[in-house]
Amino acid sequence: MNAALLLTALPVLWPMLTMLACIACAGRSRWQEGVAFAGAVGFVAITVALLAGLADGAAYVAHFGDWPAGFAIAFRIDRLGAAMLAVSALVLLAVLLYPARVDASGPVGPWSRPLLFGLMTGVGGAFSSADLFNLYVWFEVMLIAALGLLVQGGRAAHFEAGFKYLVLNLVGTVWLLVAVGGLYGVAGQLGFGQLAAVLPGSGQAALVTVFVALLLLALLSKAAAFPLFFWLPAAYPALPTPLLALFAGLLTKVGAYGVMRVVGEIAVPVAQPLLPALGWLAVLTMLAGVLGAAWHWDVRRVLAFHIISQIGYILLGVALGSVAGLAAALFYTLHHIVVKANLFLIGGLIRRCGGSFDLRRSGGLSVTRPALALLFALPAASLVGVPLTSGFWAKYLLVRACFAQGAYAWGAVALLVGALTLYSMSKVWIEAFWRRPEAPAAAVVPLPWRAWVACGALAVITLAIGVYPQTLIAFAEAAVADLALPNGGGR
């Protein structure tokens, strides 16, 4: 196996091998923790190597299995996939650095880390896959691992969360499988590039449009878009904080990534008539998420509803169907993975210091924990879109693309949702940090240095994107431009 072929396979092989190593260390917690952390460091190194090798735009391409083209397991990692892999690896490293029991939000057993790397195996496969059936398979790997992580606590709340997650995600799974089967029946191919070449001239335009619409609907359910988002706030708060941060940062973004692939590469002309409907679904997703966040007082649920709201922004960029819109969507996705994971990790620290996830039972942390207040302020401001933060540039690119294409209503809603996001995040700030606590102040609880390092590192990444956005903007534009050449050069 040559070096390029091995590097293409490593986003799946490495987390899979780490998972097996963690299983082997199941009876030795410290050993397992060390193996998991080393696995995360190695995963970061692999994704950085992938990104470095894609500077010229040529993708990594590999076919596994002794089968002819069209049947072999096909991987193709371009700049879009490599960027998603890299940011996923960074968040994984931060999550494993963050102490597992910092906020007493739930037990972490010997199967937590193996399941975590099982989940990352699915994530790595989804971002590397070059055909629809394999994308479906990797979604199922993610589903199985996510279910294990949800129910591992063994309490009624964990089983309830797992059941809701399973039932509502299985609906999307069935739609996805039917859409994949239907497109194969029409095209006789499932590779992204092959579908892009065959679908426009298939002679069955109406049937193809139906299957592409079903495919998009399935991916939207995985992304927690309106009206299929109820599983997310119902399931996520049952997770321990580090796992919650990983779920929040990554899982819905895999669905959004799939939508980007379909609209920007797999079914470019076929999806065009569907884009107005996608745009209005994005608008409803933004509004539903931000209104849910404004309603709740549990910091986990506030942030969970903001996942939904921000997915709406990403889908809005995709719905514009242009290079500028897709680039804005990619920039938004990369920024949001980092910011959202960090906010959930900081939410665990708020719980540790304030004694509760309920904002009404907290307060006064700006006095007792000024460093924590500052650490929260940066990702919170970025989520809102305060100027010179990464969120500002993400929303600026998106709104600019909306107005440039005449989608004034969509752009106006994006601005409105930004204002409502300011309200809900101000509520968190006022209740947890500014408001004087009702009960006498408890003894100051020490915060683990590893939590400071994990949250601080993600905050530094957010700050760097905000101060030097042009590098990521140029990369996003180049990455989505690659989608127009699905059969382009590879290694």
Side-chain angles (χ1 to χ4, degrees):
M1 182 181 289
N2 62 46
L5 189 65
L6 177 61
L7 190 57
T8 308
L10 280 177
V12 171
L13 286 179
W14 186 264
M16 187 183 299
L17 292 172
T18 307
M19 175 186 68
L20 295 175
C22 287
I23 292 173
C25 299
R28 302 178 177 180
S29 179
R30 288 190 178 276
W31 282 41
Q32 190 186 70
E33 184 179 7
V35 167
F37 189 76
V41 172
F43 199 27
V44 171
I46 290 165
T47 59
V48 169
L50 281 168
L51 274 176
L54 292 172
D56 60 358
Y60 286 94
V61 178
H63 296 85
F64 304 99
D66 189 19
W67 296 298
F71 294 94
I73 298 172
F75 277 14
R76 183 177 186 275
I77 304 177
D78 56 10
R79 282 182 280 200
L80 171 58
M84 297 297 290
L85 285 168
V87 74
S88 301
L90 286 171
V91 169
L92 172 66
L93 183 60
V95 164
L96 287 174
L97 181 61
Y98 189 94
R101 302 177 187 274
V102 72
D103 62 352
S105 58
V108 178
W111 293 103
S112 176
R113 295 183 185 95
L115 286 168
L116 178 59
F117 278 94
L119 181 70
M120 295 308 298
T121 300
V123 170
F127 292 147
S128 304
S129 182
D131 72 78
L132 278 181
F133 182 74
N134 284 322
L135 183 63
Y136 159 78
V137 170
W138 296 120
F139 266 116
E140 296 315 293
V141 172
M142 290 168 51
L143 175 63
I144 293 168
L147 277 172
L149 289 167
L150 279 165
V151 304
Q152 67 168 335
R155 300 173 186 167
H158 299 122
F159 288 118
E160 180 183 357
F163 179 76
K164 291 174 180 176
Y165 182 86
L166 174 63
V167 170
L168 294 172
N169 271 274
L170 279 180
V171 173
T173 293
V174 172
W175 290 343
L176 182 58
L177 186 58
V178 171
V180 169
L183 289 173
Y184 182 77
V186 171
Q189 299 280 349
L190 286 175
F192 295 167
Q194 290 85 353
L195 286 172
V198 171
L199 290 181
S202 66
Q204 303 183 61
L207 188 59
V208 169
T209 301
V210 169
F211 286 131
V212 169
L214 187 60
L215 177 62
L216 286 172
L217 191 61
L219 293 170
L220 289 171
S221 72
K222 302 290 185 181
F226 181 90
L228 306 169
F229 61 84
F230 296 103
W231 59 268
L232 192 154
Y236 278 19
L239 289 162
T241 291
L243 296 179
L244 175 54
L246 189 74
F247 274 51
L250 293 185
L251 293 198
T252 55
K253 312 312 181 299
V254 182
Y257 165 86
V259 175
M260 280 190 251
R261 283 286 183 197
V262 172
V263 172
E265 178 178 5
I266 298 171
V268 178
V270 179
Q272 290 299 311
L274 303 172
L275 295 185
L278 178 61
W280 287 112
L281 279 176
V283 165
L284 292 172
T285 302
M286 286 191 288
L287 290 170
V290 78
L291 291 174
W295 175 262
H296 284 280
W297 290 93
D298 186 308
V299 68
R300 296 168 300 181
R301 293 190 181 277
V302 171
L303 295 175
F305 272 98
H306 272 307
I307 299 171
I308 299 164
S309 175
Q310 304 301 303
I311 283 292
Y313 278 101
I314 295 167
L315 296 176
L316 186 60
V318 178
L320 293 172
S322 63
V323 171
L326 286 169
L330 177 55
F331 186 103
Y332 209 110
T333 302
L334 298 175
H335 127 82
H336 185 252
I337 289 173
V338 175
V339 166
K340 183 56 67 175
N342 201 13
L343 282 171
F344 273 104
L345 294 178
I346 295 170
L349 300 181
I350 292 174
R351 157 66 177 80
R352 182 177 177 89
C353 296
S356 175
F357 283 112
D358 190 331
L359 295 171
R360 293 166 295 188
R361 299 179 181 178
S362 188
L365 295 182
S366 62
V367 176
T368 60
R369 297 287 186 175
L372 181 61
L374 180 62
L375 187 62
F376 171 81
L378 179 59
S382 187
L383 190 72
V384 171
V386 173
L388 298 183
T389 64
S390 61
F392 167 78
W393 295 112
K395 291 180 179 176
Y396 167 75
L397 292 172
L398 186 60
V399 173
R400 183 181 69 175
C402 285
F403 289 162
Q405 295 180 221
Y408 300 110
W410 293 355
V413 172
L415 293 173
L416 172 63
V417 171
L420 293 173
T421 303
L422 174 61
Y423 165 75
S424 59
M425 295 310 291
S426 296
K427 180 173 71 174
V428 177
W429 176 261
I430 291 169
E431 295 294 326
F433 292 96
W434 271 8
R435 183 178 58 84
R436 179 178 297 177
E438 296 179 2
V444 175
V445 180
L447 296 178
W449 67 267
R450 288 168 49 186
W452 285 111
V453 173
C455 296
L458 294 178
V460 168
I461 294 172
T462 300
L463 183 62
I465 296 173
V467 176
Y468 301 104
Q470 192 53 50
T471 301
L472 186 56
I473 292 172
F475 177 88
E477 291 172 347
V480 300
D482 292 344
L483 299 182
L485 300 170
N487 293 312
R491 291 180 171 82

